[in-house]
């Protein structure tokens, strides 16, 4: 069990000396952690599904959906590590270039290229959110 869950169980104990505010803070922290874990799993899965659809269906709205998926994921699960931020930005910039080499594969290369290009759109949304969070943290820093 993680430490927060142990503290929460201690809060539920009737003999607990912790007040109701502590109960609420612990519960909200656990709930927030569960939501963050879910968005970290669901956003990439949803991005892969939408990118796969966008590979075969030519609809411009799918690119907007991919950017929104990346933005929401980046806002709900921000990256604070500078190395991770750099990796996300580089991935968003270079995935389409790398994907162009997939055209050399006979029969499926064109589809792989399109899929990676579409997935890179979601990564670009995540990178934009990471940059927004970084600028916000620098502006609001003490």
């Amino acid at each position: 069990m993680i430490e927060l869950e142990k503290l929460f169980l201690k809060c539920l104990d009737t003999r607990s000396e912790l007040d109701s505010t502590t109960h609420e803070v612990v519960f909200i922290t656990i709930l927030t952690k569960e939501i963050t874990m879910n968005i970290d799993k669901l956003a990439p899965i949803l991005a892969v599904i939408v990118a796969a659809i966008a590979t075969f269906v030519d609809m411009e709205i799918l690119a907007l959906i991919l950017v929104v998926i990346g933005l929401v994921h980046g806002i709900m699960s921000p990256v604070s590590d500078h190395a991770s931020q750099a990796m996300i930005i580089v991935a968003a910039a270079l995935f389409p270039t790398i994907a162009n080499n997939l055209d050399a594969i006979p029969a499926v290369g064109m589809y792989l290229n399109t899929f990676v290009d579409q997935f890179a759109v979601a990564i670009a949304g995540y990178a934009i959110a990471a940059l927004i969070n970084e600028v916000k943290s620098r502006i609001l820093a003490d």
Side-chain angles (χ1 to χ4, degrees), residues 47 50-52 54-55 62-63 66 113-123:
V50 174
T55 300
L62 294 175
L66 285 166
N113 181 2
T114 305
F115 173 79
V116 174
D117 284 342
Q118 295 298 325
F119 190 69
V121 172
I123 295 172

Side-chain angles (χ1 to χ4, degrees), residues 20-118:
S20 64
T21 305
T22 306
H23 293 238
E24 292 174 17
V25 169
V26 171
F27 182 71
I28 289 171
T29 305
I30 291 172
L31 184 63
T32 304
K33 183 180 183 301
E34 291 300 318
I35 291 171
T36 302
M37 285 175 44
N38 286 337
I39 192 71
D40 286 339
K41 293 177 184 176
L42 292 176
I45 291 169
L46 189 58
V48 166
I49 291 170
V50 174
I53 293 170
T55 300
F56 300 104
V57 179
D58 190 23
M59 294 176 57
E60 293 178 5
I61 191 76
L62 294 175
L64 177 63
I65 292 170
L66 285 166
V67 169
V68 169
I69 291 169
L71 283 170
V72 169
H73 186 203
I75 290 170
M76 290 185 70
S77 180
V79 176
S80 59
D81 179 29
H82 293 293
S84 297
Q85 288 175 352
M87 181 199 64
I88 292 165
I89 293 167
V90 168
L94 293 182
F95 264 27
T97 304
I98 295 169
N100 290 337
N101 294 322
L102 296 174
D103 281 336
I105 301 172
V108 296
M110 176 180 70
Y111 299 111
L112 291 174
N113 181 2
T114 305
F115 173 79
V116 174
D117 284 342
Q118 295 298 325

Side-chain angles (χ1 to χ4, degrees), residues 121-137:
V121 172
I123 295 172
Y126 194 85
I128 291 168
L131 290 171
I132 289 170
N133 284 330
E134 181 65 24
V135 169
K136 181 182 83 170
S137 69

